[in-house]
Amino acid sequence: MRTLKLAGSNVPAIGQGTWYMGEDPAQRDREVAALQQGIELGLTLIDTAEMYAEGGAETVVGEAIAGRRDQVFLVSKVYPHNASLKGVPAACERSLRRLGTDCIDLYLLHWRGQHALEETVEAFERLRETGKIRRWGVSNFDVDDLIELDNADCATNQVLYNPSQRGIEFDLLPWSQARGLPTMAYCPLAQAGKLLGHPVLSRIAERHGVTPAQVSLAWVTREDGVIAIPKAVSPEHVRMNAAAGDLVLDAEDLAAIDQAFAAPTRKQRLAMV
Ligand code: NDP
């Protein structure tokens, strides 16, 4: 598994997402087992949010990491409407309770909302001082938004990125890389839609004896400073996602992907889901 530095820690280039976990009680045991299997296979970065199942995903994560908190790099996110000086610590306390831990490794603003950025940053810094979070970051921020942060101590920006959504390559990704700001790529499998059936990904997968999903993950994480957070409940998917951490695409593969999914040649509006 390739690793990189995030917020002062070594983390795997591939972690685990949790959107849609915690919604169906009948799926809970499978979800907990999937996250635990992922941790055992080295997918030790887990991404969640108070939004997912309105806290339900955090309780699934809490159950999965009980007794193994020290093996996990935990990321959660605050709703924009809670991102005020008073709202942030209250939301963080609720998340900590659901996660069953006393500290979140990386706490993100889920997207920009009505509260002033300086206020949110101030609230994050206070949480850092009290040890409730180790570092903070943002999500769905474009270059202009990051510039507004004005060199504050932001540890990551989590954005949409996969072979069929390459808009960030025009400006946001190089801007972040030049400043040593790691990018967390969400929907790295494009939510298992059409992308995974694309003939070019299938051809590359066949050449390497892997699956199109693994090609997508290797592509997303091909450059240093990008972490992919696929969400998987199926044990086979978890196993394959962990194995993708060792897959390296060659120049021929990358050229084929460039031909099938053109890199942006001008500024694109930041895509979100
Ligand atoms: P993904 O691109 O990770 O796709 C998830 C889907 O892919 C699921 O249906 C899953 O199936 C399937 N899958 C997983 N692994 C494989 C595999 N190896 N082969 C084939 N199919 C596979 O979409 P998400 O929207 O879940 O994005 C990932 C994570 O990013 C989220 O879970 C969340 O943590 C974060 N996120 C953050 C956002 C933000 O605004 N900051 C927005 C969206 C997502 P199954 O579960 O059945 O195994």
Side-chain angles (χ1 to χ4, degrees):
M1 170 69 68
R2 282 164 286 128
T3 62
L4 61 129
K5 264 276 193 281
L6 173 69
S9 298
N10 279 323
V11 299
I14 299 175
Q16 304 190 77
T18 62
W19 196 14
Y20 292 114
M21 288 189 184
E23 295 201 339
D24 177 1
Q27 293 301 315
R28 189 185 180 89
D29 289 351
R30 285 187 75 222
E31 293 163 355
V32 169
L35 291 172
Q36 290 178 335
Q37 180 195 358
I39 295 167
E40 274 155 31
L41 295 175
L43 304 176
T44 52
L45 180 148
I46 297 182
D47 176 77
T48 190
E50 63 171 334
M51 185 189 101
Y52 303 160
E54 292 301 327
E58 288 182 326
T59 64
V60 170
V61 173
E63 194 175 330
I65 67 173
R68 58 190 98 192
R69 171 68 185 94
D70 56 339
Q71 296 171 41
V72 174
F73 187 95
L74 202 50
V75 184
S76 193
K77 314 184 200 77
V78 63
Y79 263 129
H81 62 254
N82 285 335
S84 62
L85 213 46
K86 277 194 170 155
V88 168
C92 184
E93 280 303 335
R94 292 192 293 271
S95 288
L96 288 169
R97 209 167 41 244
R98 289 187 290 258
L99 291 162
T101 185
D102 53 9
C103 181
I104 293 169
D105 295 298
L106 185 51
Y107 196 41
L108 311 183
L109 172 61
H110 209 146
W111 65 90
R112 279 194 81 166
Q114 73 267 40
H115 296 292
L117 265 185
E118 310 86 73
E119 190 177 335
T120 308
V121 169
E122 169 73 32
F124 281 159
E125 286 295 346
R126 288 187 190 177
L127 284 179
R128 244 178 116 173
E129 278 161 25
T130 54
K132 304 279 182 183
I133 65 171
R134 285 208 178 84
R135 293 288 300 272
W136 59 266
V138 294
S139 177
N140 298 302
F141 269 42
D142 207 342
V143 173
D144 288 357
D145 304 306
L146 291 173
I147 288 171
E148 257 188 76
L149 277 176
D150 194 23
N151 292 325
D153 205 8
C154 174
T156 195
N157 183 23
Q158 185 179 112
V159 289
L160 177 63
Y161 188 48
N162 63 56
S164 56
Q165 294 280 358
R166 300 182 63 169
I168 65 166
E169 285 177 38
F170 184 74
D171 53 352
L172 180 59
L173 189 57
W175 191 96
S176 303
Q177 284 170 327
R179 286 155 187 82
L181 177 68
T183 295
M184 293 183 71
Y186 72 68
C187 303
L189 303 173
Q191 300 189 308
K194 278 202 308 253
L195 176 70
L196 301 188
H198 196 284
V200 166
L201 289 198
S202 302
R203 246 190 329 270
I204 297 170
E206 209 169 305
R207 226 160 65 75
H208 289 275
V210 298
T211 66
Q214 290 174 303
V215 172
S216 188
L217 293 177
W219 182 87
V220 165
T221 57
R222 70 197 179 285
E223 288 183 29
D224 196 34
V226 184
I227 302 144
I229 45 167
K231 170 261 181 186
V233 176
S234 145
E236 187 55 12
H237 288 165
V238 175
R239 196 189 59 70
M240 289 193 291
N241 295 349
D246 295 321
L247 175 64
V248 178
L249 300 177
D250 61 27
E252 189 186 330
D253 303 327
L254 298 178
I257 291 176
D258 281 343
Q259 218 169 21
F261 308 94
T265 52
R266 59 188 164 77
K267 171 74 187 158
Q268 294 180 8
R269 202 188 152 91
L270 184 65
M272 286 175 69
V273 298

